[in-house]
RNA sequence: GGAGAGGUGGCCGAGUGGUCUAAGGCGCAGCACUGGAAAUGCUGUGUACCGCAAGGUACCGUGGGUUCAAAUCCCACCCUCUCCGCCA
């Protein structure tokens, strides 16, 4: 959520920012109009309330002296009706104002490349050199099916398409990678591990920015609970409506499954486990002092890169352009893994600085040096997303005989297994 | 799911319709006293919104309602604790 004062005082700047990211201006227009109207109305109704408070106090005093106050009470009843009526107007106006405000995306940071779509994203660095194959590398579906480590047909039978099912070494590999990443972030990068609920309430979804706009992209359960699309939601909401009582920065990390309806995405990358409705992910979340958030974003990205470097995978880091960053982000780096079977790049991490956008929605504050309360800056990044990581490991590690050599770093987590062999 | 108790400022806790402008305590900050400290004393100490300001308005779990006036009365809901039931 943008600061209403920023909109009030620098409307043109806000307008330019929204244009740069191709956002609709209709919500901004509505907010500007309602804000003016609201302030006028609030001033009016508060004057009336002051009148009522003063007179009511008098009534109390007069009554204690035994005087008759019937006439005053009658006129106050009318005043009360007027106040109630205006209060209702204010309430309706504020509800609409808030709802529209929640639909305005964050403003892009000045350092972003300008552009309308992904083609304007900029590669800021690359790591590793893609392996040269002596044979034609296969896609992960073919590799994995031969190894018997997943069974998409049965996943589709028990749930539906897009719900992958891992078996045997595939299942173990997922588990090993989760363990490996959590250990890395907790022991070397300074994060505290959390295992949060996998479903959250509506207030949490609003807090991180999924609602109200992205309701169609998520699974909504009974009791008004939502399946989380990312651990970002429960972990960031850990401090919702709180004043953080420990020194900043606070780093948290969590493994969770992620559930995404991917509404409208059918037909694109639907084969295998590249785009699915359920996947596992280790997420990193930071709560930081505003002045440090861009430096913190850089280290966040390197924390994610560290995972990939240790696994010996080739990747590139992209700075997303103004037209391609997500709703709540002010700046975002994507990390993409090289997948030889796809002959292309796979997004496995998205690291974003939300500045105070989420903190303002979720009301997450800290006490500044001068004693004043202020909103923190929040950041999060995948560290990293599974399934696609598995794709890269399978496709990069495949051998001519159909086996897959695993990255050295994961071997201890696999109980010493270095290679997944096809069943005899 | 059932029964009972409860939810008040950073914390503890009083307050059952009218100077509540929420007592008192703890904590914190400043000052005094002191060689320095402890102890003691004094002073200050919530948030948001409206307003150029003076000032005003709102907030006692949340949302409604009654009333001239609600922390206080009524209704619904949420959460916590205790016990019972069910249960991996």
């Amino acid at each position: 959520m943008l600061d209403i004062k920023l909109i009030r005082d620098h409307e043109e700047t806000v307008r330019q920012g929204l244009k740069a990211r191709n956002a609709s201006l209709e919500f901004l227009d509505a907010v500007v109009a309602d804000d003016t109207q609201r302030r006028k109305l609030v001033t009016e109704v508060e004057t009336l309330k002051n009148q009522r408070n003063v007179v009511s106090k008098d009534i109390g005093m007069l009554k204690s002296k035994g005087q008759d106050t019937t006439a005053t009470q009658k006129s106050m009843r009318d005043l009360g009706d007027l106040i109630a009526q205006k209060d209702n107007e204010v309430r309706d106006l504020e509800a609409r104002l808030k709802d529209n405000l929640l639909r305005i995306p964050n403003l892009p940071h000045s350092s972003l490349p300008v552009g309308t779509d992904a083609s304007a994203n900029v590669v800021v660095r690359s790591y590793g050199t893609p392996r040269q194959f002596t044979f034609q590398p296969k896609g992960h579906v073919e590799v994995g099916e031969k190894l018997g480590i997943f069974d998409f047909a049965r996943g589709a039978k028990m749930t539906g398409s897009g719900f992958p099912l891992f078996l045997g070494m595939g299942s173990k590999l997922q588990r090993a990678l989760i363990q490996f990443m959590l250990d890395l972030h907790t022991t070397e990068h300074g994060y505290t591990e959390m295992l949060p609920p996998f479903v959250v309430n509506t207030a949490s979804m609003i807090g991180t920015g999924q609602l109200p706009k992205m309701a169609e992209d998520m699974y909504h359960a009974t009791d008004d609970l939502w399946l989380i699309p990312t651990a970002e939601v429960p972990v960031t909401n850990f401090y919702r409506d709180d004043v953080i009582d420990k020194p900043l920065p606070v780093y948290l990390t969590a493994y969770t499954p992620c559930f995404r309806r991917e509404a409208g995405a059918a037909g694109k990358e639907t084969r295998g486990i590249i785009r699915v409705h359920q996947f596992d992910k280790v997420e990193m979340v930071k709560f930081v002092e505003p002045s440090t958030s861009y430096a913190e974003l850089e280290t966040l990205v390197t924390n994610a890169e560290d995972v990939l470097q240790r696994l010996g995978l080739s990747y590139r880091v992209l700075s997303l352009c103004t037209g391609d960053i997500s709703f709540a982000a002010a700046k975002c780096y994507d990390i993409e893994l090289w997948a030889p079977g796809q002959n292309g790049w796979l997004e496995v991490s998205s690291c974003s600085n939300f500045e105070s956008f989420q903190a303002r929605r979720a009301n997450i504050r800290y006490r500044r040096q001068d004693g004043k309360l202020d909103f923190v800056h929040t950041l999060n990044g995948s560290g990293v997303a599974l399934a696609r990581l598995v794709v890269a490991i399978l496709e990069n590690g495949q051998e001519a005989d159909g086996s897959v050599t695993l990255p050295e770093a994961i071997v201890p987590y696999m109980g010493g297994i270095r290679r997944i062999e096809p069943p005899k």
Side-chain angles (χ1 to χ4, degrees):
Chain A
M1 186 164 70
L2 297 178
D3 187 354
I4 185 70
K5 293 193 198 89
L6 178 76
I7 294 176
R8 204 179 286 159
D9 300 339
H10 302 282
E11 188 184 328
E12 198 44 42
T13 312
V14 173
R15 210 165 274 277
Q16 293 308 319
L18 294 180
K19 275 184 190 162
R21 55 178 298 159
N22 275 339
S24 156
L25 296 176
E26 59 170 319
F27 301 118
L28 177 66
D29 291 336
V31 163
V32 169
D34 285 346
D35 177 51
T36 310
Q37 179 64 14
R38 177 188 164 270
R39 283 188 291 161
K40 181 167 164 272
L41 214 54
V42 163
T43 308
E44 257 176 62
V45 73
E46 287 188 353
T47 308
L48 297 178
K49 281 182 179 173
N50 177 237
Q51 247 179 68
R52 179 176 66 182
N53 288 346
V54 170
V55 174
S56 288
K57 202 166 280 183
D58 283 348
I59 291 174
M61 243 148 38
L62 292 173
K63 277 199 162 182
S64 68
K65 291 180 194 158
Q67 296 189 25
D68 177 60
T69 56
T70 319
T72 323
Q73 284 187 31
K74 189 172 176 306
S75 74
M76 280 301 104
R77 192 174 308 141
D78 294 341
L79 182 62
D81 290 344
L82 182 61
I83 288 172
Q85 183 204 319
K86 287 198 181 284
D87 260 344
N88 276 334
E89 285 179 48
V90 171
R91 179 156 21 103
D92 291 349
L93 199 56
E94 280 181 348
R96 191 171 72 197
L97 182 72
K98 182 82 187 289
D99 188 66
N100 282 323
L101 204 50
L102 289 175
R103 289 167 194 275
I104 299 175
N106 203 354
L107 301 177
H109 187 249
S110 59
S111 65
L112 265 62
V114 176
T116 53
D117 57 49
S119 66
N121 295 344
V122 171
V123 177
V124 294
R125 62 180 166 274
S126 300
Y127 176 87
T129 42
R131 173 182 161 194
Q132 296 302 305
F133 284 87
T134 54
F135 56 95
Q136 180 62 38
K138 299 181 174 69
H140 71 282
V141 177
E142 206 177 325
V143 173
E145 278 177 349
K146 207 166 177 183
L147 295 174
I149 61 172
F150 40 60
D151 187 335
F152 300 138
R154 287 195 166 89
K157 176 175 70 176
M158 60 181 74
T159 307
S161 79
F163 288 90
L165 185 162
F166 296 89
L167 272 173
M169 282 300 134
S171 174
K172 190 182 179 82
L173 178 58
Q174 289 265 139
R175 183 157 53 87
L177 286 166
I178 292 165
Q179 190 92 324
F180 160 70
M181 291 189 280
L182 285 174
D183 281 352
L184 180 61
H185 296 318
T186 53
T187 62
E188 298 195 32
H189 299 154
Y191 291 78
T192 299
E193 183 176 346
M194 179 189 291
L195 184 60
F198 300 161
V199 292
V200 297
N201 57 30
T202 296
S204 293
M205 282 294 194
I206 290 173
T208 30
Q210 282 72 23
L211 290 178
K213 281 200 84 171
M214 273 82 87
E216 294 307 306
D217 296 326
M218 297 181 297
Y219 292 98
H220 195 185
T222 47
D223 298 331
D224 203 20
L225 296 174
W226 305 77
L227 275 63
I228 56 169
T230 159
E232 162 195 348
V233 181
V235 177
T236 305
N237 278 280
F238 182 72
Y239 283 119
R240 173 155 54 83
D241 291 323
D242 267 343
V243 175
I244 297 179
D245 57 355
K246 48 172 81 172
L248 298 179
V250 172
Y251 295 174
L252 298 173
T253 185
Y255 151 75
T256 72
C258 303
F259 302 92
R260 299 185 181 180
R261 291 188 65 218
E262 300 291 343
K268 199 182 173 197
E269 300 170 335
T270 46
R271 191 163 147 74
I273 48 176
I274 292 175
R275 182 181 290 271
V276 284
H277 293 307
Q278 180 186 324
F279 61 95
D280 295 299
K281 180 159 62 66
V282 169
E283 185 78 0
M284 301 171 285
V285 175
K286 291 182 170 188
F287 303 85
V288 309
E289 275 187 48
S291 63
T292 65
S293 66
Y294 280 93
E296 291 281 2
L297 177 61
E298 297 303 319
T299 59
L300 179 66
V301 179
T302 57
N303 292 156
E305 289 180 65
D306 197 15
V307 170
L308 306 179
Q309 290 183 13
R310 287 173 192 242
L311 293 174
L313 297 167
S314 303
Y315 65 83
R316 62 182 192 178
V317 179
L318 281 77
S319 179
L320 298 194
C321 75
T322 54
D324 201 32
I325 49 172
S326 67
F327 181 78
K331 180 165 188 170
C332 178
Y333 291 108
D334 274 3
I335 304 178
E336 298 182 336
L337 280 179
W338 177 249
Q342 315 295 312
N343 195 33
W345 300 93
L346 285 182
E347 180 189 334
V348 289
S349 177
S350 200
C351 299
S352 308
N353 183 359
F354 303 97
E355 299 188 359
S356 59
F357 189 83
Q358 290 182 328
R360 187 169 283 109
R361 285 176 164 248
N363 192 29
I364 304 171
R365 296 178 295 174
Y366 76 111
R367 206 166 281 283
R368 296 193 312 216
Q369 290 262 299
D370 64 8
K372 297 273 185 241
L373 291 173
D374 197 4
F375 294 111
V376 298
H377 280 192
T378 59
L379 303 91
N380 70 53
S382 341
V384 299
L386 283 235
R388 288 184 187 169
L389 177 60
V390 170
V391 169
I393 288 173
L394 294 179
E395 294 189 359
N396 281 292
Q398 62 181 303
E399 308 296 351
D401 65 358
S403 67
V404 169
T405 304
L406 296 174
E408 198 56 38
I410 204 69
V411 171
Y413 290 91
M414 289 294 288
I417 295 166
R418 304 192 121 73
R419 176 182 293 234
I420 304 177
E421 309 271 2
K424 293 286 184 307

